[in-house]
Amino acid sequence: MALLQISEPGQSTKPHERRLAVGIDLGTTNSLVAALRSGIAETLPDESGKHLLPSIVHYRAAAEPLVGEQAKRLAVSDPLNTIISVKRFMGRGLADVKHLGRQLPYEFTQTDTAMMRIRTVDGEKSPIEVSAEILRALRQRAEVTLGGELNGVVITVPAYFDEAQRQATKDAGKLAGLKVLRLLNEPTAAAVAYGLDKATEGVIAVYDLGGGTFDISILRLNKGVFEVMATGGDTALGGDDFDRLIAEWIMHQAGIANESGHAQLRQLLQTACAAKEALSQQTSVDISVATDSGIRWQGMLTREQLHTLVDPLIQKTLATCRRTLRDAQIDTSAVQAVVMVGGSTRMVRVREKIGEFFGASPMVDIDPDKVVAVGAAIQADILVGNKPDDEMLLLDVIPLSLGLETMGGLAEKIVPRNTTIPVARAQEFTTFKDGQTAMTIHVVQGERELVSDCRSLARFSLHGIPPMVAGAARIRVSFQVDADGLLSVTAREQTTGVESHVQVKPSYGLTDAEIEQMLRDSMQHAQDDVAARTLREEQVEADRVMEAVNAALAVDGELLSVDERRNIDQALGNLQQLGKGTNARAIKTGIEQLDKATQQFAARRMDRSVKQALAGHNLNEFINPK
Amino acid sequence: MSITMTEKAAERVKSFLTNRGKGTGLRLGVKTTGCSGMAYVLEFVDAADPADAVFETQGVKIFIDPKSLIYLDGTELDFAKEGLNEGFKFNNPNVKATCGCGESFNV
């Protein structure tokens, strides 16, 4: 007989149509799986009652890999085949991993695709395959617990994950036989767990202090959609550092030498961690450790002493919070709620300091280790179709920036990448030449500065712009991406209302690998791109100035003496020559020279037009208008 | 006519209701569907129907529409654990046959 869960009123499912969905927090150190049962979202424990699955995979020759606690036990004895913290490698190439600046015990290999691999006794493994093993273990746990096959999962990722890292996470899910309904940002999941998405708008700070990493995210909620305003953090700061400080204090007090053996150090760290955890409940804790001389040292650590030890580290996280708020261009008073994530936020001192900093007591009711998985489970339940449609959250983002071509072949980004959809953005453009009556809109996608390096999506023209001087027309170009990722671009001339538009599917025909490549290129070529952009901008400016001077010469050329005219012509010719070159600075100087040569001319033109305007009028008409 | 609930089931229902923050009780019912004729309904109740029969057992209100009651009379609701899986179980004396999975039944 099947075991039933209580449904919401009117939401009972038909037999065999129950849709099972779980949320997965795929963490650097530990992973969790959570599901919604009888209206309550909770993490699912394994047979021995443990909720956390260590994110560790141990590969064996000719045998199934081990995942979790079993793998963890082999981490010291067989480091080469035991993969720890694989999340740090997701979507990264070998060059990126080297930049992580850590001594890693693995043997990396690079294949012709951009992905790096780790050599094990069971063959070369990509980070995606390793992550898939972790996901497979969680999937199995969930299917046994829920009594059926999963219809879909939501996997959480850090807010700062780029498109390649997100894609790698999705691929790992696919490889583990999961239907990934959506990737959800970890801070967003935490906010969802607290039901903060039920409000219509507001700013939320998510403070995530885990074992080895610290992240702060500032989210803005707008009409049920979370937008990441800014993120900051430290990939090498966490609870482990607190433990180390306490262990060092014990060593100092007990007179234990720094060069103690590994086993003793590990013992000390465990004692330190236990003391830290105990001090969240009580005000002092007795410590007893073995010293070098073999005599046990007995001591006491008070909460005050602990605070003195850890305050500098907490201050460090607060400095990051301050910087991140500045990036988001808000101050603490704008933050309505502070959500605590990560085991280290159990420390009373951390909660106190955060409360002081934000001037609001942080939300701590949900277990900070589980809160992300719980939020993912709630989201998964909605996405799999167990909730009415109107509760559906739309949190998808566009993978690459969308923009259009401007003068000089430059790409102007209208919708930056990672913007949540649906989205509408508009920007005004103007004409480049006097009397211009049509404009071609070239829609492009990509992160590069030059249109030629981006992907062309569509081209269309706007006709019927009334003839005006250059720069006077106002053409509003709107980009709209709907919930399915369909982009429509509309150009509208503001004075006459003439309009033209086109519709495209931006991700059509673009493989995940190509998206990854495009992102990679944009990072590699960042420097070149800036230079190229500067050059093109100067060239466009030179063209514009020359165009204006030529137009003025045609009308008022007789105002100039032969010498003056020669000077201007010379500057014009010089600039034209420079414009064909690639020296942005020289072009800039050329523009300045032409400007100087035409100053007199411009002044005289001004006088003439003033005289013309005044001709036939009495001065009093202007002073005392009738 | 009687509907009962084990202590364990009542405990669970109470905690689910508290956690949910609203709801007056639990709805039991049957609907005609599934591979073996009928299926159980197990839902939270926010607004009871005037026609509902109401039973109070172990401090939990159970609402059942009159038509379902015919099929459920004498049922005891239990909360069971099978390995990692846990959930509610209908011990229904009226059932003559269930489908393989037990999600639907016949009287």
Short mmCIF file of all heavy atoms in Angstrom, two decimals, chain A residues 1-16 18 37-40 45-47 141 144-147, chain B residues 16 19-20 26 31 33-35 39-44 46 80 82 84-90 99 101-104:
data_model
loop_
_atom_site.label_atom_id
_atom_site.label_comp_id
_atom_site.label_asym_id
_atom_site.label_seq_id
_atom_site.Cartn_x
_atom_site.Cartn_y
_atom_site.Cartn_z
N MET A 1 0.85 -1.20 0.00
CA MET A 1 0.00 0.00 0.00
C MET A 1 0.88 1.24 0.00
O MET A 1 1.82 1.37 0.79
CB MET A 1 -0.87 -0.08 1.26
CG MET A 1 -1.37 1.24 1.80
SD MET A 1 -3.12 1.40 1.49
CE MET A 1 -3.26 3.12 1.12
N ALA A 2 0.61 2.09 -0.90
CA ALA A 2 1.43 3.30 -1.02
C ALA A 2 1.20 4.22 0.17
O ALA A 2 0.12 4.25 0.74
CB ALA A 2 1.06 4.04 -2.30
N LEU A 3 2.23 4.93 0.54
CA LEU A 3 2.11 5.88 1.64
C LEU A 3 1.78 7.25 1.05
O LEU A 3 2.42 7.70 0.11
CB LEU A 3 3.41 5.93 2.43
CG LEU A 3 3.78 4.59 3.10
CD1 LEU A 3 5.12 4.68 3.77
CD2 LEU A 3 2.70 4.18 4.09
N LEU A 4 0.78 7.90 1.61
CA LEU A 4 0.29 9.15 1.03
C LEU A 4 0.76 10.37 1.81
O LEU A 4 1.04 10.29 3.00
CB LEU A 4 -1.25 9.14 1.00
CG LEU A 4 -1.89 7.98 0.26
CD1 LEU A 4 -3.39 7.98 0.49
CD2 LEU A 4 -1.59 8.06 -1.23
N GLN A 5 0.82 11.50 1.13
CA GLN A 5 1.13 12.78 1.76
C GLN A 5 -0.12 13.65 1.67
O GLN A 5 -0.95 13.46 0.79
CB GLN A 5 2.30 13.46 1.04
CG GLN A 5 3.52 12.59 0.83
CD GLN A 5 4.18 12.18 2.13
OE1 GLN A 5 4.14 12.89 3.12
NE2 GLN A 5 4.77 11.00 2.14
N ILE A 6 -0.22 14.61 2.58
CA ILE A 6 -1.39 15.49 2.56
C ILE A 6 -1.19 16.58 1.49
O ILE A 6 -0.13 17.21 1.43
CB ILE A 6 -1.61 16.16 3.93
CG1 ILE A 6 -1.57 15.12 5.04
CG2 ILE A 6 -2.93 16.92 3.96
CD1 ILE A 6 -1.63 15.70 6.45
N SER A 7 -2.20 16.79 0.67
CA SER A 7 -2.11 17.80 -0.38
C SER A 7 -2.81 19.08 0.05
O SER A 7 -3.57 19.08 1.01
CB SER A 7 -2.77 17.30 -1.66
OG SER A 7 -2.25 16.06 -2.03
N GLU A 8 -2.56 20.13 -0.71
CA GLU A 8 -3.29 21.38 -0.52
C GLU A 8 -4.73 21.16 -0.96
O GLU A 8 -4.99 20.29 -1.80
CB GLU A 8 -2.66 22.49 -1.37
CG GLU A 8 -1.35 23.01 -0.81
CD GLU A 8 -1.53 23.70 0.53
OE1 GLU A 8 -2.29 24.66 0.62
OE2 GLU A 8 -0.91 23.24 1.53
N PRO A 9 -5.69 21.95 -0.42
CA PRO A 9 -7.09 21.77 -0.82
C PRO A 9 -7.26 21.77 -2.34
O PRO A 9 -6.76 22.67 -3.01
CB PRO A 9 -7.79 22.98 -0.19
CG PRO A 9 -6.95 23.35 0.97
CD PRO A 9 -5.54 23.00 0.59
N GLY A 10 -7.93 20.76 -2.86
CA GLY A 10 -8.20 20.70 -4.30
C GLY A 10 -7.01 20.31 -5.15
O GLY A 10 -7.10 20.29 -6.37
N GLN A 11 -5.86 20.01 -4.51
CA GLN A 11 -4.66 19.71 -5.29
C GLN A 11 -4.29 18.23 -5.27
O GLN A 11 -3.18 17.87 -5.63
CB GLN A 11 -3.48 20.54 -4.76
CG GLN A 11 -3.65 22.04 -4.90
CD GLN A 11 -3.52 22.49 -6.34
OE1 GLN A 11 -2.68 22.02 -7.07
NE2 GLN A 11 -4.38 23.40 -6.75
N SER A 12 -5.21 17.39 -4.81
CA SER A 12 -4.91 15.95 -4.79
C SER A 12 -4.58 15.47 -6.19
O SER A 12 -5.28 15.79 -7.15
CB SER A 12 -6.13 15.17 -4.29
OG SER A 12 -6.15 15.18 -2.89
N THR A 13 -3.54 14.68 -6.28
CA THR A 13 -3.16 14.19 -7.60
C THR A 13 -3.78 12.82 -7.83
O THR A 13 -4.11 12.11 -6.89
CB THR A 13 -1.63 14.06 -7.71
OG1 THR A 13 -1.17 13.40 -6.54
CG2 THR A 13 -0.99 15.42 -7.82
N LYS A 14 -3.91 12.48 -9.09
CA LYS A 14 -4.43 11.16 -9.43
C LYS A 14 -3.36 10.13 -9.14
O LYS A 14 -2.18 10.45 -9.14
CB LYS A 14 -4.80 11.12 -10.92
CG LYS A 14 -5.99 11.98 -11.23
CD LYS A 14 -6.24 11.94 -12.72
CE LYS A 14 -7.38 12.85 -13.08
NZ LYS A 14 -7.40 13.12 -14.52
N PRO A 15 -3.76 8.87 -8.90
CA PRO A 15 -2.75 7.84 -8.68
C PRO A 15 -1.81 7.77 -9.87
O PRO A 15 -2.23 8.00 -11.00
CB PRO A 15 -3.59 6.56 -8.58
CG PRO A 15 -4.95 7.00 -8.25
CD PRO A 15 -5.12 8.36 -8.82
N HIS A 16 -0.59 7.47 -9.62
CA HIS A 16 0.45 7.34 -10.64
C HIS A 16 0.73 8.66 -11.36
O HIS A 16 1.42 8.68 -12.35
CB HIS A 16 0.09 6.25 -11.68
CG HIS A 16 -0.43 5.01 -11.05
ND1 HIS A 16 0.38 4.18 -10.33
CD2 HIS A 16 -1.68 4.49 -10.97
CE1 HIS A 16 -0.34 3.19 -9.86
NE2 HIS A 16 -1.60 3.34 -10.22
N ARG A 18 1.45 11.39 -9.35
CA ARG A 18 2.16 12.20 -8.39
C ARG A 18 3.46 12.63 -9.02
O ARG A 18 4.18 11.82 -9.62
CB ARG A 18 2.45 11.40 -7.12
CG ARG A 18 1.28 11.38 -6.17
CD ARG A 18 1.69 10.76 -4.88
NE ARG A 18 2.35 9.48 -5.09
CZ ARG A 18 3.29 8.99 -4.28
NH1 ARG A 18 3.69 9.68 -3.26
NH2 ARG A 18 3.83 7.81 -4.52
N ARG A 37 6.97 17.54 1.58
CA ARG A 37 6.05 16.44 1.90
C ARG A 37 4.99 16.94 2.86
O ARG A 37 5.33 17.52 3.89
CB ARG A 37 6.81 15.26 2.50
CG ARG A 37 7.66 14.57 1.45
CD ARG A 37 8.23 13.27 1.98
NE ARG A 37 9.20 13.52 3.03
CZ ARG A 37 9.75 12.54 3.76
NH1 ARG A 37 9.40 11.29 3.55
NH2 ARG A 37 10.64 12.82 4.68
N SER A 38 3.73 16.72 2.52
CA SER A 38 2.61 17.21 3.33
C SER A 38 2.79 18.67 3.70
O SER A 38 2.57 19.08 4.84
CB SER A 38 2.48 16.37 4.60
OG SER A 38 2.09 15.06 4.25
N GLY A 39 3.22 19.46 2.74
CA GLY A 39 3.30 20.91 2.93
C GLY A 39 4.56 21.38 3.63
O GLY A 39 4.73 22.57 3.87
N ILE A 40 5.45 20.46 4.00
CA ILE A 40 6.66 20.88 4.69
C ILE A 40 7.88 20.52 3.86
O ILE A 40 8.04 19.37 3.43
CB ILE A 40 6.76 20.22 6.07
CG1 ILE A 40 5.62 20.71 6.96
CG2 ILE A 40 8.11 20.51 6.72
CD1 ILE A 40 5.59 20.07 8.31
N PRO A 45 17.28 12.61 5.07
CA PRO A 45 18.47 11.96 5.62
C PRO A 45 18.74 10.62 4.94
O PRO A 45 17.87 10.06 4.30
CB PRO A 45 18.09 11.74 7.09
CG PRO A 45 16.60 11.62 7.08
CD PRO A 45 16.09 12.41 5.91
N ASP A 46 19.96 10.10 5.11
CA ASP A 46 20.27 8.77 4.59
C ASP A 46 19.90 7.72 5.64
O ASP A 46 19.32 8.06 6.68
CB ASP A 46 21.75 8.68 4.18
CG ASP A 46 22.68 8.80 5.37
OD1 ASP A 46 22.19 8.87 6.52
OD2 ASP A 46 23.91 8.84 5.15
N GLU A 47 20.26 6.46 5.39
CA GLU A 47 19.87 5.37 6.29
C GLU A 47 20.35 5.60 7.72
O GLU A 47 19.69 5.21 8.67
CB GLU A 47 20.41 4.03 5.79
CG GLU A 47 19.74 3.49 4.55
CD GLU A 47 20.36 4.04 3.27
OE1 GLU A 47 21.18 4.99 3.37
OE2 GLU A 47 20.03 3.55 2.18
N ARG A 141 19.00 8.47 -2.94
CA ARG A 141 18.44 8.68 -1.61
C ARG A 141 17.02 9.21 -1.72
O ARG A 141 16.10 8.74 -1.03
CB ARG A 141 19.31 9.68 -0.84
CG ARG A 141 18.85 9.86 0.60
CD ARG A 141 19.46 11.07 1.27
NE ARG A 141 20.91 10.96 1.45
CZ ARG A 141 21.63 11.87 2.11
NH1 ARG A 141 21.04 12.93 2.62
NH2 ARG A 141 22.93 11.74 2.23
N VAL A 144 14.44 6.52 -3.05
CA VAL A 144 14.09 5.53 -2.04
C VAL A 144 13.15 6.16 -1.00
O VAL A 144 12.15 5.57 -0.60
CB VAL A 144 15.37 4.98 -1.35
CG1 VAL A 144 15.00 4.13 -0.15
CG2 VAL A 144 16.19 4.19 -2.34
N THR A 145 13.48 7.38 -0.60
CA THR A 145 12.70 8.05 0.44
C THR A 145 11.30 8.40 -0.04
O THR A 145 10.31 8.23 0.67
CB THR A 145 13.41 9.33 0.89
OG1 THR A 145 14.75 9.00 1.26
CG2 THR A 145 12.71 9.95 2.09
N LEU A 146 11.20 8.90 -1.27
CA LEU A 146 9.90 9.37 -1.75
C LEU A 146 9.11 8.25 -2.43
O LEU A 146 7.93 8.41 -2.72
CB LEU A 146 10.09 10.54 -2.73
CG LEU A 146 10.82 11.75 -2.14
CD1 LEU A 146 11.07 12.80 -3.20
CD2 LEU A 146 10.02 12.35 -0.98
N GLY A 147 9.75 7.15 -2.68
CA GLY A 147 9.06 6.01 -3.24
C GLY A 147 8.66 6.17 -4.70
O GLY A 147 7.55 5.83 -5.08
N PHE B 16 1.85 19.11 10.97
CA PHE B 16 1.78 19.66 9.60
C PHE B 16 0.89 20.89 9.57
O PHE B 16 1.20 21.90 8.92
CB PHE B 16 1.24 18.62 8.61
CG PHE B 16 2.24 17.54 8.26
CD1 PHE B 16 1.85 16.22 8.14
CD2 PHE B 16 3.56 17.86 8.03
CE1 PHE B 16 2.76 15.23 7.80
CE2 PHE B 16 4.48 16.88 7.70
CZ PHE B 16 4.08 15.56 7.59
N ASN B 19 2.61 23.83 11.19
CA ASN B 19 3.65 24.33 10.31
C ASN B 19 3.07 25.13 9.15
O ASN B 19 3.65 26.12 8.71
CB ASN B 19 4.43 23.15 9.79
CG ASN B 19 5.86 23.51 9.52
OD1 ASN B 19 6.14 24.33 8.66
ND2 ASN B 19 6.76 22.94 10.28
N ARG B 20 1.91 24.70 8.69
CA ARG B 20 1.29 25.35 7.55
C ARG B 20 0.73 26.71 7.95
O ARG B 20 0.60 27.62 7.14
CB ARG B 20 0.19 24.44 7.02
CG ARG B 20 -0.39 24.83 5.68
CD ARG B 20 -1.21 23.70 5.11
NE ARG B 20 -1.97 24.15 3.96
CZ ARG B 20 -3.22 24.57 4.03
NH1 ARG B 20 -3.84 24.61 5.20
NH2 ARG B 20 -3.86 24.98 2.95
N LEU B 26 -8.45 18.06 8.40
CA LEU B 26 -7.98 17.18 7.34
C LEU B 26 -9.17 16.66 6.54
O LEU B 26 -10.19 16.29 7.12
CB LEU B 26 -7.24 16.01 8.00
CG LEU B 26 -6.42 15.10 7.11
CD1 LEU B 26 -5.25 15.87 6.51
CD2 LEU B 26 -5.90 13.92 7.92
N LYS B 31 -11.98 9.50 -4.85
CA LYS B 31 -12.45 9.93 -6.16
C LYS B 31 -12.31 8.78 -7.13
O LYS B 31 -11.45 7.92 -6.96
CB LYS B 31 -11.75 11.20 -6.63
CG LYS B 31 -10.26 11.20 -6.57
CD LYS B 31 -9.76 12.57 -7.01
CE LYS B 31 -8.24 12.64 -6.96
NZ LYS B 31 -7.74 13.96 -7.31
N THR B 33 -11.09 7.22 -10.06
CA THR B 33 -9.98 7.40 -10.97
C THR B 33 -8.99 6.28 -10.73
O THR B 33 -9.19 5.45 -9.86
CB THR B 33 -9.29 8.76 -10.75
OG1 THR B 33 -8.18 8.85 -11.61
CG2 THR B 33 -8.79 8.89 -9.32
N GLY B 34 -7.93 6.24 -11.50
CA GLY B 34 -6.88 5.27 -11.23
C GLY B 34 -7.15 3.92 -11.86
O GLY B 34 -8.23 3.66 -12.39
N CYS B 35 -6.19 3.03 -11.75
CA CYS B 35 -6.27 1.77 -12.48
C CYS B 35 -7.19 0.77 -11.81
O CYS B 35 -7.62 -0.19 -12.39
CB CYS B 35 -4.88 1.18 -12.70
SG CYS B 35 -3.93 1.04 -11.17
N ALA B 39 -9.51 6.29 -5.86
CA ALA B 39 -8.27 6.71 -5.22
C ALA B 39 -8.60 7.56 -4.00
O ALA B 39 -9.64 8.20 -3.95
CB ALA B 39 -7.42 7.51 -6.19
N TYR B 40 -7.71 7.54 -3.04
CA TYR B 40 -7.92 8.32 -1.83
C TYR B 40 -7.56 9.79 -2.05
O TYR B 40 -6.66 10.13 -2.83
CB TYR B 40 -7.05 7.78 -0.70
CG TYR B 40 -7.47 6.42 -0.21
CD1 TYR B 40 -6.65 5.32 -0.39
CD2 TYR B 40 -8.70 6.26 0.42
CE1 TYR B 40 -7.04 4.07 0.06
CE2 TYR B 40 -9.09 5.01 0.88
CZ TYR B 40 -8.27 3.92 0.69
OH TYR B 40 -8.66 2.69 1.13
N VAL B 41 -8.29 10.62 -1.30
CA VAL B 41 -7.97 12.05 -1.27
C VAL B 41 -7.51 12.35 0.15
O VAL B 41 -8.14 11.91 1.12
CB VAL B 41 -9.21 12.89 -1.62
CG1 VAL B 41 -8.96 14.36 -1.32
CG2 VAL B 41 -9.58 12.70 -3.09
N LEU B 42 -6.43 13.08 0.26
CA LEU B 42 -5.91 13.46 1.57
C LEU B 42 -5.44 14.90 1.46
O LEU B 42 -4.40 15.17 0.85
CB LEU B 42 -4.77 12.52 1.97
CG LEU B 42 -4.24 12.63 3.39
CD1 LEU B 42 -5.31 12.30 4.41
CD2 LEU B 42 -3.05 11.71 3.58
N GLU B 43 -6.25 15.82 2.03
CA GLU B 43 -5.94 17.24 1.82
C GLU B 43 -6.12 18.02 3.11
O GLU B 43 -6.86 17.61 4.00
CB GLU B 43 -6.88 17.85 0.77
CG GLU B 43 -6.67 17.33 -0.63
CD GLU B 43 -7.70 17.88 -1.62
OE1 GLU B 43 -8.60 18.62 -1.18
OE2 GLU B 43 -7.58 17.55 -2.80
N PHE B 44 -5.47 19.19 3.17
CA PHE B 44 -5.74 20.13 4.25
C PHE B 44 -7.10 20.77 3.97
O PHE B 44 -7.52 20.87 2.82
CB PHE B 44 -4.68 21.24 4.28
CG PHE B 44 -3.31 20.75 4.65
CD1 PHE B 44 -2.28 20.75 3.71
CD2 PHE B 44 -3.04 20.29 5.93
CE1 PHE B 44 -1.01 20.30 4.04
CE2 PHE B 44 -1.77 19.84 6.27
CZ PHE B 44 -0.76 19.84 5.33
N ASP B 46 -9.25 24.27 4.37
CA ASP B 46 -9.30 25.69 4.74
C ASP B 46 -10.75 26.11 4.95
O ASP B 46 -11.07 26.84 5.87
CB ASP B 46 -8.65 26.55 3.66
CG ASP B 46 -7.14 26.41 3.69
OD1 ASP B 46 -6.60 26.18 4.79
OD2 ASP B 46 -6.50 26.52 2.62
N ALA B 80 2.81 5.65 8.65
CA ALA B 80 3.75 4.52 8.65
C ALA B 80 5.09 4.90 8.06
O ALA B 80 5.22 5.86 7.31
CB ALA B 80 3.15 3.36 7.86
N GLU B 82 8.28 3.13 6.00
CA GLU B 82 8.79 1.94 5.32
C GLU B 82 10.17 2.27 4.80
O GLU B 82 10.31 2.90 3.76
CB GLU B 82 7.85 1.54 4.17
CG GLU B 82 6.52 0.99 4.66
CD GLU B 82 5.53 0.77 3.52
OE1 GLU B 82 5.90 0.96 2.35
OE2 GLU B 82 4.37 0.43 3.83
N LEU B 84 13.18 4.44 4.27
CA LEU B 84 13.32 5.89 4.30
C LEU B 84 12.00 6.58 4.00
O LEU B 84 11.80 7.73 4.30
CB LEU B 84 14.38 6.34 3.28
CG LEU B 84 15.83 6.09 3.67
CD1 LEU B 84 16.74 6.48 2.52
CD2 LEU B 84 16.21 6.87 4.91
N ASN B 85 11.11 5.83 3.36
CA ASN B 85 9.83 6.41 2.95
C ASN B 85 8.86 6.45 4.13
O ASN B 85 8.81 5.54 4.93
CB ASN B 85 9.26 5.54 1.82
CG ASN B 85 8.08 6.21 1.14
OD1 ASN B 85 7.71 7.33 1.48
ND2 ASN B 85 7.50 5.54 0.17
N GLU B 86 8.12 7.55 4.23
CA GLU B 86 7.10 7.63 5.27
C GLU B 86 5.90 8.39 4.75
O GLU B 86 6.02 9.22 3.85
CB GLU B 86 7.66 8.27 6.54
CG GLU B 86 8.29 9.63 6.31
CD GLU B 86 8.87 10.24 7.58
OE1 GLU B 86 9.28 9.48 8.48
OE2 GLU B 86 8.88 11.46 7.68
N GLY B 87 4.71 8.07 5.33
CA GLY B 87 3.51 8.74 4.87
C GLY B 87 2.27 8.14 5.50
O GLY B 87 2.35 7.26 6.38
N PHE B 88 1.10 8.61 5.04
CA PHE B 88 -0.16 8.17 5.63
C PHE B 88 -0.69 6.92 4.91
O PHE B 88 -0.46 6.73 3.72
CB PHE B 88 -1.20 9.29 5.55
CG PHE B 88 -0.83 10.45 6.43
CD1 PHE B 88 -0.11 11.53 5.93
CD2 PHE B 88 -1.20 10.46 7.77
CE1 PHE B 88 0.23 12.60 6.74
CE2 PHE B 88 -0.86 11.53 8.59
CZ PHE B 88 -0.15 12.60 8.08
N LYS B 89 -1.44 6.13 5.69
CA LYS B 89 -1.94 4.86 5.19
C LYS B 89 -3.42 4.76 5.57
O LYS B 89 -3.77 5.06 6.71
CB LYS B 89 -1.14 3.75 5.88
CG LYS B 89 -0.99 2.49 5.12
CD LYS B 89 0.06 1.64 5.84
CE LYS B 89 0.12 0.26 5.28
NZ LYS B 89 1.22 -0.50 5.87
N PHE B 90 -4.28 4.37 4.64
CA PHE B 90 -5.70 4.17 4.93
C PHE B 90 -5.91 2.69 5.26
O PHE B 90 -5.71 1.84 4.39
CB PHE B 90 -6.56 4.52 3.71
CG PHE B 90 -6.73 5.99 3.48
CD1 PHE B 90 -5.71 6.77 2.97
CD2 PHE B 90 -7.94 6.62 3.77
CE1 PHE B 90 -5.87 8.13 2.75
CE2 PHE B 90 -8.12 7.98 3.55
CZ PHE B 90 -7.09 8.74 3.05
N CYS B 99 -4.80 -2.00 -6.52
CA CYS B 99 -3.88 -2.21 -7.63
C CYS B 99 -2.50 -2.49 -7.06
O CYS B 99 -2.28 -2.34 -5.86
CB CYS B 99 -3.87 -1.00 -8.57
SG CYS B 99 -2.92 0.41 -7.97
N CYS B 101 0.28 -1.04 -6.82
CA CYS B 101 0.99 -0.04 -6.05
C CYS B 101 0.20 0.40 -4.84
O CYS B 101 0.72 1.02 -3.94
CB CYS B 101 1.28 1.17 -6.92
SG CYS B 101 -0.23 2.01 -7.40
N GLY B 102 -1.09 0.09 -4.81
CA GLY B 102 -1.89 0.46 -3.66
C GLY B 102 -2.40 1.89 -3.70
O GLY B 102 -3.00 2.35 -2.74
N GLU B 103 -2.17 2.58 -4.80
CA GLU B 103 -2.63 3.96 -4.85
C GLU B 103 -4.12 4.04 -5.18
O GLU B 103 -4.76 5.05 -4.93
CB GLU B 103 -1.82 4.78 -5.85
CG GLU B 103 -0.56 5.36 -5.23
CD GLU B 103 0.03 6.48 -6.05
OE1 GLU B 103 -0.67 7.48 -6.24
OE2 GLU B 103 1.18 6.35 -6.50
N SER B 104 -4.66 3.01 -5.79
CA SER B 104 -6.10 3.03 -6.05
C SER B 104 -6.70 1.70 -5.60
O SER B 104 -5.99 0.72 -5.41
CB SER B 104 -6.38 3.31 -7.53
OG SER B 104 -5.73 2.38 -8.34
#
